[in-house]
Amino acid sequence: MSVLNLRDVLPFPGGANSSDVLLNGQHLNLTTLEYWNYTLFSNGTLSNNSWCFMTELPFTPGSVLENGTFINATSCYTPMKAIGTRSAIGVGYAVAFGICLVLVLINLARHGKLYLPVEKRFYPIGRRWQWYWGCFVCATAIIGLFFGIDVDRYYIQDIPIVINVFFWFLMQMGTTALVWEAVRHWGSWMERQFIDPNPFVLHDTDRRWMFEFWVPLFFYFWLWMNFFMVIPRNWEPIIRQRSPQQTIEQAEPTATDGRFKAAAFILLICWFTIIVSIWHSIRHYEPRNRGWFNRTIGFLGYMPVRFALEIPLLLALVAYQILCSFRFRLSPLNAEDTNYVAMYLGGYTPSLLILIIQIIDGFVRPNEDRELIHQRRMRGEEINRQLGIAKKPAWWRRVNGQLPPDNMADQVLRNVREVGGGRPTARQVEALAEQRAAQVQEGQTGPGRSGATIEMNELRRANSAASSMRARGAPPPPYTPYTGKSAQRKEERIVQAAAGMLFPNSATPPAGEDRGRSSEGETAETQQRLDASERSRSTGSTVSGLSTTSPPQQVRSMLDI
C-alpha cells in the first residue's frame, strides 16, 4: 500500500480522448481508474491504497479491464532493483557472523563438557549461557543482514526494513546479555576456585551471596524492559519511507520517539550493572588493596583482558543506539539515506568484535573441570612436598616387582590357575577322595583326624565336662537341664535358642516347668541315638548314625549349614 502526501499526487496525463490516459506509450481507461479509486503518484506508482503497480518503463501496465484487473502489470512490492551498498556490506558481515556461529558451537562443546560430578552450587548451564547467547547473537545478525538485501532491492519499502531493524535490536540485546553472562560466570568461576580447597570458607547467607542472587534478576529486568520498549509496537510508520516527504513526516518521528530513547538508556543501566558485578567479584575473590588509587590499579589489573576489551565495545554499541534515537540520519531504521559507515561501524562491528574476543578466549582457556582437577593435583603435590613424601616414578613398581593391578578378567584367570579349574580340579578331588579311602582302609581315620567325615560339631561350652569327655574319645553324656537361676542357666538358654534357629527339626528340651520332667521314652530315644553314634565311630563309618533314626535335616538357607 502506498499512502503519500497530497503534494506527491500527480494528475493523469491526457490520452486520445477524455476517457483515455497515456502512460509511457500505453493507453488506459480513465473511467475505470477513477471508478476503482486509483491515483498516480510522483514516485512512478499507481495505487488505490489496496493495490500498487509500477508505471515506469519497462514495468508499465499493458491495459486495465473494467473489473479493475491490470494486464502485464508489476507490483510495487517486488525486489526489482540491484543490490546496493547496504546489501553488499551486509552480506560480508553475515558471512563473518556465520563463521563465528560455527566457532561458538565448538567452544560450547569444549567448555560445556563435564569431567567432574555436578555440584549443587555450580550448575553446568551457568558456564554455557554465554555461548548460548553467542549463538543467539549470530543467528539474529545473520537473519537481519540477509533481509537487508531486500531493503535495497524493493522499489517501495515494505516488511524487509522492519525485519532488518527488528533483528538488529534483538542482536543488541543478545550482545549485552553475552557480556553479562561472561562476567557473571567469571565471578562464579572465581568463587569455585576460592572455595574448592575449603568449601566452608564462605557462607551461603551473607551479603555477598545475597548480592550475587539478586544482581542477575536486576540485570535481566532491565534487559527485558528494553525488549518491551522496542519490540511490541506499531512498526507501520517505519515502512512509510516511499518518498522523502513521507519519510520526514511519518518514519523519522516514529524512529526517534520516546520509547526508542528510553530503550537505549535502559541498555546503559545494564552496562553499569556489568561494571558493578566485576567490581564485586574482584573485591571478594582477589587480594584487597588499600587506598582508592591502589584499588583502582588492582581493579584494572585483576580484570581479565577480554573484559577490558569487551566492555568498551559494549559501551560503544550502547552509545550508538542512543545516538540513533536522536539522529535518524545515522540510524539503520533509515532505509533510503542512512550513513552506512556509522550503521555498520557502530551497529554491527562491536557485536562482531565481542564474539571474536569470546571465541579466541574460549580456545585459549582450558575446560574448567580440567583446570580444577589440575589445581587439585598441584595442591596435592605441594602438600606431599611439605610432608616430605616423594612420589615414585612409574617404572619403580616394575623394577621392584610391584606390578600394577590387572583388569578383572586377568585377576580371575590368575586365581583360577592358582587353585585349579576345569578337569585338573576334578582330578584333585578324585585324588583326595582316593587318599581318604586308603586311610580308612588302613585304619588311620578317627575322630579329629584328617580323614574323618566332616560333620557339624555339637554346640557346647568350652569349659564344660562334655568337652573334657570328648577330648578322651568318649561320647557326650545325655543332656541334663539346669533348673537354677544363675548366669550358667542364662547361657544355656542362649545356646538353646541359637540351636533352635540353626537346627529347627532337632529335638529340643521342654521349656518352662516341664523342663525337668522328660519322659522315659524321650530318654530312651536319646540313648538309642547316642549308641548308634558310638557304633558309627567304632566301625569307622562315614555315615552319621542320627540319619537312620531321625528325619533328614532340611536346609532352608546358608545359615543352616
Side-chain angles (χ1 to χ4, degrees):
M1 178 169 34
S2 178
V3 178
L4 298 179
N5 192 280
L6 292 178
R7 287 172 292 182
D8 296 323
V9 177
L10 298 179
F12 286 105
N17 50 45
S18 59
S19 61
D20 182 65
V21 174
L22 183 61
L23 290 176
N24 297 322
Q26 299 292 334
H27 293 274
L28 303 177
N29 193 323
L30 179 61
T31 304
T32 303
L33 295 177
E34 291 178 348
Y35 177 79
W36 293 104
N37 198 25
Y38 276 99
T39 305
L40 183 63
F41 294 94
S42 60
N43 61 353
T45 60
L46 187 65
S47 174
N48 65 347
N49 294 335
S50 296
W51 297 93
C52 180
F53 300 100
M54 298 292 301
T55 60
E56 299 292 337
L57 292 175
F59 308 106
T60 307
S63 62
V64 59
L65 303 180
E66 293 182 0
N67 60 359
T69 303
F70 283 83
I71 305 299
N72 295 330
T74 303
S75 174
C76 300
Y77 310 110
T78 302
M80 62 186 67
K81 299 170 65 176
I83 293 178
T85 305
R86 181 180 188 134
S87 303
I89 301 176
V91 170
Y93 272 85
V95 172
F97 277 105
I99 296 174
C100 289
L101 177 59
V102 176
L103 299 178
V104 166
L105 292 175
I106 295 175
N107 276 283
L108 174 60
R110 173 189 173 94
H111 292 277
K113 191 174 182 180
L114 300 180
Y115 295 92
L116 291 174
V118 177
E119 302 179 23
K120 184 178 180 181
R121 199 166 179 177
F122 306 99
Y123 291 100
I125 196 173
R127 71 177 77 170
R128 300 169 184 168
W129 265 118
Q130 55 184 320
W131 306 111
Y132 291 154
W133 280 115
C135 296
F136 178 83
V137 171
C138 293
T140 53
I142 292 171
I143 295 173
L145 289 168
F146 275 113
F147 269 96
I149 298 175
D150 287 339
V151 175
D152 279 350
R153 298 193 63 200
Y154 267 53
Y155 186 79
I156 298 296
Q157 291 302 323
D158 198 50
I159 197 67
I161 182 63
V162 175
I163 298 178
N164 178 257
V165 298
F166 179 87
F167 282 98
W168 178 76
F169 280 110
L170 290 180
M171 185 196 67
Q172 307 278 300
M173 294 177 53
T175 305
T176 307
L178 166 63
V179 177
W180 158 254
E181 285 297 334
V183 170
R184 182 205 58 78
H185 175 65
W186 176 74
S188 177
W189 169 236
M190 298 294 293
E191 178 188 6
R192 188 179 182 186
Q193 296 178 94
F194 193 83
I195 69 173
D196 187 65
N198 182 10
F200 306 101
V201 68
L202 297 176
H203 298 283
D204 291 346
T205 56
D206 54 358
R207 292 183 179 179
R208 175 199 59 83
W209 182 88
M210 294 297 294
F211 178 86
E212 293 177 357
F213 175 80
W214 287 107
V215 70
L217 302 179
F218 179 82
F219 174 85
Y220 280 109
F221 168 77
W222 290 109
L223 190 67
W224 284 112
M225 287 299 297
N226 175 269
F227 174 85
F228 289 117
M229 283 290 178
V230 173
I231 302 304
R233 61 180 302 139
N234 181 21
W235 290 90
E236 181 66 23
I238 302 298
I239 303 177
R240 307 292 186 182
Q241 302 184 46
R242 295 155 184 166
S243 69
Q245 188 66 25
Q246 191 182 48
T247 302
I248 295 173
E249 294 179 357
Q250 298 188 40
E252 183 174 353
T254 304
T256 57
D257 62 359
R259 292 187 61 176
F260 281 113
K261 291 182 174 66
F265 282 100
I266 285 174
L267 278 187
L268 188 61
I269 297 176
C270 296
W271 185 84
F272 280 114
T273 306
I274 293 173
I275 297 296
V276 173
S277 179
I278 294 180
W279 168 81
H280 169 83
S281 300
I282 293 176
R283 177 188 176 189
H284 288 88
Y285 307 123
E286 295 289 357
R288 296 187 180 182
N289 298 323
R290 294 190 177 185
W292 286 102
F293 179 77
N294 293 332
R295 290 180 181 178
T296 304
I297 298 300
F299 176 81
L300 298 176
Y302 293 134
M303 183 188 300
V305 178
R306 56 170 172 156
F307 295 152
L309 299 175
E310 291 178 3
I311 291 178
L313 289 173
L314 181 63
L315 181 61
L317 183 146
V318 175
Y320 175 73
Q321 187 168 340
I322 294 174
L323 184 62
C324 291
S325 63
F326 288 93
R327 297 288 301 275
F328 183 71
R329 175 69 175 78
L330 304 175
S331 174
L333 281 72
N334 189 346
E336 298 294 339
D337 192 28
T338 187
N339 189 327
Y340 297 123
V341 176
M343 172 183 168
Y344 284 104
L345 191 61
Y348 289 94
T349 302
S351 299
L352 182 60
L353 292 179
I354 288 174
L355 280 173
I356 293 174
I357 294 171
Q358 281 288 116
I359 291 169
I360 295 175
D361 180 78
F363 282 113
V364 172
R365 286 187 297 112
N367 182 280
E368 294 178 3
D369 284 355
R370 287 187 170 182
E371 178 64 21
L372 207 60
I373 293 172
H374 175 70
Q375 293 180 9
R376 293 174 180 176
R377 186 184 300 112
M378 296 300 295
R379 287 198 301 268
E381 293 177 357
E382 181 63 25
I383 293 174
N384 292 339
R385 190 180 301 108
Q386 293 176 1
L387 296 177
I389 301 175
K391 186 177 180 180
K392 304 294 189 301
W395 52 266
W396 182 267
R397 291 186 177 182
R398 294 185 178 90
V399 172
N400 293 273
Q402 302 176 1
L403 298 178
D406 302 327
N407 53 28
M408 184 58 65
D410 295 339
Q411 293 180 15
V412 172
L413 182 60
R414 186 172 60 252
N415 294 338
V416 170
R417 289 174 179 173
E418 291 178 359
V419 302
R423 185 58 188 168
T425 301
R427 286 197 298 268
Q428 292 180 8
V429 173
E430 293 175 358
L432 182 61
E434 293 176 358
Q435 181 181 1
R436 290 184 178 180
Q439 292 176 358
V440 170
Q441 293 178 0
E442 295 174 1
Q444 297 179 0
T445 59
R449 297 188 180 184
S450 60
T453 303
I454 301 175
E455 294 286 349
M456 179 70 75
N457 294 332
E458 292 83 3
L459 294 175
R460 55 185 174 79
R461 295 196 306 271
N463 57 353
S464 62
S467 63
S468 60
M469 295 174 62
R470 179 64 59 85
R472 293 191 300 270
Y479 176 75
T480 303
Y482 180 78
T483 59
K485 297 181 179 180
S486 64
Q488 296 180 355
R489 179 59 187 161
K490 186 175 181 180
E491 292 179 1
E492 289 180 4
R493 289 182 178 179
I494 295 175
V495 172
Q496 293 171 8
M501 290 187 292
L502 292 175
F503 306 97
N505 295 327
S506 62
T508 57
E513 297 178 356
D514 298 336
R515 190 178 300 277
R517 302 175 184 177
S518 301
S519 62
E520 296 178 0
E522 294 175 350
T523 305
E525 182 179 358
T526 303
Q527 185 64 32
Q528 183 180 0
R529 295 178 182 176
L530 293 174
D531 295 341
S533 176
E534 180 62 26
R535 287 195 301 272
S536 65
R537 289 191 181 93
S538 62
T539 60
S541 175
T542 59
V543 182
S544 175
L546 296 177
S547 62
T548 60
T549 59
S550 63
Q553 181 179 353
Q554 297 181 1
V555 180
R556 296 184 298 177
S557 67
M558 292 300 295
L559 296 176
D560 297 338
I561 300 177

